[in-house]
């Protein structure tokens, strides 16, 4: 069975700082993507919500930290303090499973979608400024109203289960070898 159109949708972008809330509040870091790189063409049907797919980061850890982000609080230097120019390699450089949240970016008066990607992998370091290639492979659910931190964490963990389940289906087996990803 082929992948259901319009998937796979490939996005190539750079990781920028978000509001710094993913890790600290939830224990679930999300690599934020600039809204400019994330036009509605990247999101089939322009739907906000939770998607699943694969992602690969490349370049160096912590390169070009914390610049150019509309979401960046200039007084917060927490992410600039750990610049690390070594190359992303090993398991961190593989094509990895991810869940992606797409929402309307308040910075752009909610006219532009933005995306953040939680890669299901334990990285040795953060990778602000790195390149990220994403294959969006399907839609999981719409955004839900905020209930509590714990409910949100439970929901994300459920999304991750769904993602693993869907990714194990045969039509997705060849995506990681797609030429859009680098062969490491
Ligand atoms: P921010 O609000 O700046 O995006 P987060 O708390 O969401 O902060 O953390 C995101 C950052 O954490 C990413 O930009 C990346 O550098 C790093 N990171 C480490 N592990 C992961 C992971 N498994 N998935 C996504 N980002 C990760
Ligand atoms: Mg984030």
């Amino acid at each position: 069975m082929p992948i259901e159109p319009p998937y796979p949708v490939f996005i190539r972008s750079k990781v920028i700082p978000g509001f710094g809330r993913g890790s600290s509040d939830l224990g679930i870091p999300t690599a934020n993507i600039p809204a400019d790189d994330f036009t509605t063409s990247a999101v089939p049907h322009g739907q906000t919500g939770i998607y699943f797919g694969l992602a690969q980061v490349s370049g160096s850890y912590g390169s070009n930290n914390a610049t150019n982000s509309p979401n960046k609080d200039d007084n917060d230097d927490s992410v600039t303090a750990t610049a690390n120019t070594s190359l992303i390699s090993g398991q961190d450089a593989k094509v990895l499973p991810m869940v992606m949240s797409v929402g309307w970016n308040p910075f752009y008066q909610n006219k532009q979608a933005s995306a953040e990607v939680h890669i299901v992998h334990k990285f040795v370091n953060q990778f602000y400024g790195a390149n990220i290639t994403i294959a969006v492979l399907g839609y999981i659910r719409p955004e839900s109203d905020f209930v509590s931190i714990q409910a949100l964490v439970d929901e994300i963990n459920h999304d991750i289960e769904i993602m693993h389940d869907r990714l194990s289906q045969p039509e997705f087996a060849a995506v990681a070898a797609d030429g859009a990803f680098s062969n490491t």
Side-chain angles (χ1 to χ4, degrees):
M1 203 172 77
I3 298 174
E4 208 175 303
Y7 308 107
V9 175
F10 287 93
I11 303 167
R12 209 167 249 174
S13 190
K14 276 202 196 294
V15 177
I16 59 166
F19 293 102
R21 292 195 294 225
S23 292
S24 45
D25 291 356
L26 305 180
I28 301 170
T30 59
N32 288 50
I33 308 303
D36 289 350
D37 286 352
F38 203 76
T39 58
T40 43
S41 67
V43 177
H45 324 301
Q47 252 171 334
T48 59
I50 313 302
Y51 291 79
F52 74 93
L54 297 170
Q56 182 182 41
V57 292
S58 61
S60 41
Y61 296 103
S63 56
N64 188 28
N65 272 343
T67 52
N68 308 326
S69 170
N71 294 337
K72 183 65 195 156
D73 174 352
D74 288 338
N75 297 319
D76 177 2
D77 59 1
S78 57
V79 293
T80 53
T82 54
N84 176 342
T85 53
S86 66
L87 278 183
I88 297 169
S89 61
Q91 292 304 308
D92 288 4
K94 300 281 184 217
V95 177
L96 298 162
M98 66 81 178
V99 289
M100 177 176 82
S101 166
V102 176
W104 295 109
N105 191 328
F107 185 82
Y108 293 103
Q109 287 81 43
N110 298 327
K111 287 184 185 118
Q112 221 165 1
S114 68
E116 36 192 298
V117 177
H118 173 63
I119 301 171
V120 181
H121 173 71
K122 181 101 184 73
F123 286 86
V124 301
N125 209 319
Q126 60 183 33
F127 44 88
Y128 288 107
N131 304 309
I132 185 166
T133 303
I134 298 163
V136 186
L137 297 176
Y139 188 68
I140 298 181
R141 62 171 173 89
E143 288 169 287
S144 55
D145 290 336
F146 181 80
V147 186
S148 68
I149 298 274
Q150 192 52 50
L152 191 57
V153 170
D154 291 348
E155 209 160 52
I156 295 166
N157 285 326
H158 187 232
D159 294 333
I160 291 170
E161 277 176 36
I162 294 171
M163 173 273 286
H164 282 305
D165 204 53
R166 304 267 304 265
L167 278 184
S168 70
Q169 287 160 18
E171 64 263 36
F172 300 119
V175 178
D178 192 284
F181 291 117
S182 62
N183 201 349
T184 53

